[in-house]
């Protein structure tokens, strides 16, 4: 940085090399005491750039880049938000449909005259109706999904509610089947 004529400038100096033989010959004729050769540094020239103009241009370019980036990011954010809300509405709709279907299923199951229970492959309760729970005097925790078949049989043995024999041997036989 330099101050020239009351203005602050950024001075950039560029070296000048003798890159062609014709330049060397010409300079040697003009300066007979100098013996220039190809690729010698023959001088330099300077370019002065007013700092105020340079900074104003840089500032304006920065504002433009910032505005473009802001608009691009705002647009991307809006697009992502709209997609998210669309997916959220779809999930809520599917959840409401599933809830209605489950409600109809439980209503039908609980209005049957037979006691029904369903267990999964790992012998955990998936669902049972109120008649089944009443028939075997099951407490609420044994009517919840995930209750084990073993726990339900043990409860029935403990409370004498096992068809046929009501011994531990009968319960083990029932559990083995």
């Amino acid at each position: 940085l330099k101050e020239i004529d009351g203005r602050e400038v950024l001075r950039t100096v560029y070296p000048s090399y003798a890159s062609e033989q014709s330049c060397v010959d010409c300079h040697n004729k003009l300066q007979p005491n100098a013996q220039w050769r190809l690729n010698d540094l023959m001088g330099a020239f300077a370019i002065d750039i007013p700092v105020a103009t340079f900074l104003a241009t840089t500032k304006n370019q920065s504002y433009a880049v910032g505005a473009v980036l802001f608009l691009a990011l705002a647009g991307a954010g809006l697009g992502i938000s709209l997609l998210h809300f669309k997916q959220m509405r779809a999930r809520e709709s599917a959840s409401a449909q599933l809830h209605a279907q489950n409600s109809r299923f439980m209503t039908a199951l609980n209005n049957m005259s037979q006691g029904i229970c369903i267990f999964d492959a790992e012998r955990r309760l998936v669902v049972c109706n109120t008649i089944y729970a009443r028939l075997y005097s099951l407490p609420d925790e044994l009517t919840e999904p995930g209750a084990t078949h073993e726990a339900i049989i043990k409860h029935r043995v403990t409370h004498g509610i096992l068809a046929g024999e009501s011994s531990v041997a009968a319960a083990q036989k029932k559990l083995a089947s």
Side-chain angles (χ1 to χ4, degrees):
L1 286 175
K2 290 184 136 312
E3 189 173 316
I4 298 176
D5 297 330
R7 293 183 313 159
E8 210 169 347
V9 296
L10 176 64
R11 176 166 281 177
T12 308
V13 178
Y14 295 93
S16 176
Y17 290 96
S19 57
E20 295 181 15
Q21 188 60 45
S22 61
C23 292
V24 172
D25 294 341
C26 181
H27 278 275
N28 283 336
K29 284 181 191 173
L30 293 173
Q31 302 169 339
N33 294 335
Q35 290 300 310
W36 299 106
R37 292 182 310 238
L38 202 57
N39 294 322
D40 278 352
L41 178 61
M42 299 177 79
F45 62 94
I47 296 177
D48 292 337
I49 301 170
V51 172
T53 306
F54 173 75
L55 291 178
T57 302
T58 302
K59 182 172 100 174
N60 291 338
Q61 289 172 345
S62 297
Y63 285 155
V65 168
V68 168
L69 287 175
F70 174 78
L71 291 174
L73 290 174
L78 178 63
I80 290 169
S81 295
L82 291 174
L83 178 63
H84 173 72
F85 285 121
K86 182 180 177 183
Q87 290 173 342
M88 205 167 70
R89 273 187 263 129
R91 279 192 304 271
E92 288 171 354
S93 175
S95 178
Q97 290 174 355
L98 183 61
H99 179 72
Q101 184 68 24
N102 284 343
S103 180
R104 287 189 294 272
F105 172 72
M106 289 308 294
T107 299
L109 193 65
N110 286 325
N111 284 301
M112 299 175 103
S113 57
Q114 298 83 14
I116 295 179
C117 68
I118 300 172
F119 291 91
D120 65 15
E122 293 166 358
R123 303 183 102 179
R124 290 181 303 214
L125 186 66
V126 175
V127 69
C128 74
N129 66 359
T130 53
I131 299 293
Y132 180 83
R134 226 179 298 131
L135 279 171
Y136 298 111
S137 302
L138 295 177
D140 288 342
E141 66 269 8
L142 292 179
T143 64
E144 295 294 320
T148 64
H149 183 249
E150 183 179 2
I152 292 171
I153 296 298
K154 283 181 181 177
H155 174 81
R156 289 174 58 190
V157 167
T158 304
H159 291 84
I161 314 167
L162 188 62
E165 297 180 56
S166 58
S167 66
V168 173
Q172 288 173 345
K173 186 173 156 185
K174 184 113 175 128
L175 287 170
S177 58

